[in-house]
Amino acid sequence: MGYDIDLEDHIIEYLVKGGYPGLEAVDFETARDILMERFGLTLHKDIMRIFAVRNIKGLENMILRCAMQSSQLTNYYGFAKSIGIKYDTFMVYLGYLTDVFIVSESRFFSKSDSTFKKGKKLYLRDHATRNLLIGLMNRRLFEFKEEVGKTVETVVQDHACRLVYRLQRRMQCYYWRGKKEVDIVIRVGTVPVPIEVKYLRKIQHEKNIIYIPIKKVGRNEPCPCGSGKKYKKCCFLLLKNLPPKRVLNEDYHHYTTSEHIHRANSSDIILILENLTVLAFEAEGDGDASGAFGLFRILEPLAEQQGMSDKLLEKWGMICCDHSELGEDGLVIMRRLQSLYEDKDRLQWAYTIMDTANYLADMGKLNEGKKEYERIIEQMPDFLQAYIDYANFLGPVFTRAQYHFSINP
C-alpha cells in the first residue's frame, strides 16, 4: 500500500512539473519560477531573435492558445483569426514552433497520409510549460478534469512521437475518428497502432476496456482485443450498444452548452444537421463513403433553409476528397467547393484545387489533374506548396526544384 501512495505522488509531481532537470527536487512554486525564467529566455532570446519575429504579441498569443487547446482538434483558419493574425503568418509561426520542438501536430490517420484532408490536433510538447501558461502548475490542476485530460494526452503524445523517432527516425503521430475517437495512432512499419488515453486514479481490469478498431474488422474475424473470441461476440457487442450521439457545437456554432443542446427539440433542424453530419463521418469511417454521400444529399435542403450551405459544403468536400470511388458525383462537390473559395479564401481555394487534382488522378484522369496544378501555379506563382505537391503528384524523382527551374529557365 505504501508503494502505491509513493508511486502516485511521483506521477502527480511529474504531471505537474514535467521532467526538466532540477525541478523534481523543489516545490511547485519554485519549479514554476524556474520554468518561467527558462521558457522566457527560450522564447525571447532564442526564437524571436533567431527567426526575427516582428509580431511578438501575436507569437505569444499563439503559444498561449496552443497551451489552452493542447490535444484538441484545431481549425487553423479559425485559430489565426481568434488571435488576430493572418493565416499565412500563423503558418510561418507554426513552422518556427515545430522546428524548435515547442509545438507538434497530429494528423488524421489515413492510407494516403494526406496533410489537407481533415483537421489537425496541436500539442504544446512540454506539458509542464502548458500547465505553467494556463496557471495550473500546482495540485489545483487535478481539480479540473478536462485540463488533466489534456495534460495527460499531451504527455502520451510526446512520448509516442519520441518512440516513433527512435524506431523509424521520423517524428509523426496521428489521430483517428470514426464511431469513436482514437486519441493517438502511430505507425510501426506499415502497421497502425492505436493508443487510447485514459487517466484513472486506479488501474481497471482489462475487462473494462473496449477495443475500438481503426480499420474495419469482419464480424466473424478474431476480435483485435486478443480475447480469442469472434469480433461479433466480443467488442462489437459493446460498440453496437453505445448510446446515440448528441453533438455539441459541431462547427455550426449554434449550441454552446450541454444544457442548451439537451433542451433542444428533437425536430430542431440544426440539431438534425449536427447529428447527421456526425453520422455521415461515422459511415465514412466504417468504409461506407457512398452512404455518407447520401446523408449529405439529405442534409443539403436543410442547410439551405438555415443559411448553412457553405458550412455543409465544406464538410461534404472533406468526405469526397478522400474517396475517388464516388466518381463524378464527388468531383461535382469538389468543383463546387472550388467556386465557394475562389473569391472568399484564395489559399483554401488553392488547397481545394490540389485535392481535386489528386482526386482526378485517382480516377485515372492524370492529365486533367496536371491541368489543375498548372492553373494554381499560373495564378499563384509564389505559392511554394503548389510546387512541392505538384512534384509529389508527378513522382518522387521529379523534385520541386527541377519543376521550378523548368518553368523559369
Side-chain angles (χ1 to χ4, degrees), residues 21 82 148 193 274 391 400 407:
S82 71
V148 176
V193 179
E274 292 192 351
R400 177 183 71 83
I407 64 171

Side-chain angles (χ1 to χ4, degrees), residues 105-268:
E105 294 179 303
S106 188
R107 304 173 187 169
F108 179 82
F109 178 83
S110 67
K111 292 180 180 178
S112 62
D113 200 18
S114 171
T115 59
F116 302 117
K117 303 300 185 185
K118 294 186 178 359
K120 298 177 183 178
K121 285 184 173 186
L122 279 183
Y123 293 84
L124 201 71
R125 293 198 61 150
D126 181 62
H127 65 281
T129 303
R130 175 188 182 269
N131 295 338
L132 172 71
L133 294 176
I134 65 172
L136 290 174
M137 195 174 169
N138 49 49
R139 285 184 178 269
R140 287 192 61 237
L141 172 68
F142 298 93
E143 297 174 14
F144 302 91
K145 185 178 179 181
E146 183 178 352
E147 298 304 329
V148 176
K150 291 178 184 178
T151 292
V152 171
E153 185 173 334
T154 298
V155 171
V156 176
Q157 197 268 355
D158 183 53
H159 282 270
C161 284
R162 292 168 187 262
L163 174 62
V164 172
Y165 183 78
R166 289 184 60 132
L167 293 174
Q168 300 175 187
R169 288 295 183 265
R170 62 194 300 267
M171 193 171 284
Q172 180 62 60
C173 288
Y174 305 85
Y175 72 94
W176 188 82
R177 294 179 79 182
K179 284 189 175 181
K180 298 284 284 183
E181 180 175 342
V182 178
D183 297 316
I184 299 164
V185 180
I186 61 174
R187 290 184 192 269
V188 179
T190 59
V191 179
V193 179
I195 303 170
E196 182 66 13
V197 181
K198 299 290 182 189
Y199 177 72
L200 305 170
R201 297 304 292 264
K202 292 184 178 180
I203 297 175
Q204 296 181 344
H205 192 267
E206 283 187 356
K207 70 180 182 181
N208 293 320
I209 298 174
I210 302 175
Y211 185 91
I212 304 166
I214 62 173
K215 62 180 181 179
K216 197 163 186 178
V217 179
R219 290 165 56 92
N220 290 312
E221 292 180 23
C223 187
C225 74
S227 66
K229 299 178 182 177
K230 289 184 178 180
Y231 182 52
K232 66 182 181 182
K233 294 185 177 180
C234 193
C235 289
F236 175 76
L237 293 173
L238 299 172
L239 287 172
K240 183 180 178 182
N241 293 310
L242 288 173
K245 184 178 293 183
R246 301 197 72 187
V247 186
L248 177 63
N249 202 21
E250 180 63 23
D251 286 341
Y252 289 100
H253 305 294
H254 184 71
Y255 298 106
T256 55
T257 67
S258 296
E259 286 185 16
H260 186 181
I261 196 170
H262 286 300
R263 285 202 306 267
N265 190 290
S266 59
S267 60
D268 184 329

Side-chain angles (χ1 to χ4, degrees), residues 15-114:
L15 288 178
V16 173
K17 296 192 295 188
Y20 273 111
L23 297 188
E24 74 284 352
V26 298
D27 58 34
F28 289 133
E29 187 172 349
T30 305
R32 183 194 64 201
D33 293 340
I34 293 172
L35 190 57
M36 186 178 295
E37 181 182 3
R38 290 180 183 175
F39 183 70
L41 289 172
T42 301
L43 180 61
H44 293 281
K45 291 196 174 182
D46 293 338
I47 298 174
M48 292 185 178
R49 182 180 61 189
I50 292 170
F51 296 113
V53 175
R54 295 181 181 180
N55 188 349
I56 296 174
K57 190 66 176 175
L59 183 61
E60 289 176 341
N61 287 339
M62 184 172 171
I63 294 172
L64 178 59
R65 185 70 182 269
C66 283
M68 295 169 65
Q69 293 189 190
S70 188
S71 80
Q72 303 300 292
L73 201 58
T74 303
N75 180 299
Y76 285 1
Y77 294 94
F79 192 124
K81 186 176 180 180
S82 71
I83 58 175
I85 62 175
K86 294 181 179 179
Y87 174 78
D88 289 353
T89 304
F90 169 83
M91 292 304 295
V92 170
Y93 288 176
L94 182 59
Y96 296 160
L97 296 174
T98 53
D99 285 348
V100 297
F101 303 104
I102 287 180
V103 170
S104 66
E105 294 179 303
S106 188
R107 304 173 187 169
F108 179 82
F109 178 83
S110 67
K111 292 180 180 178
S112 62
D113 200 18
S114 171

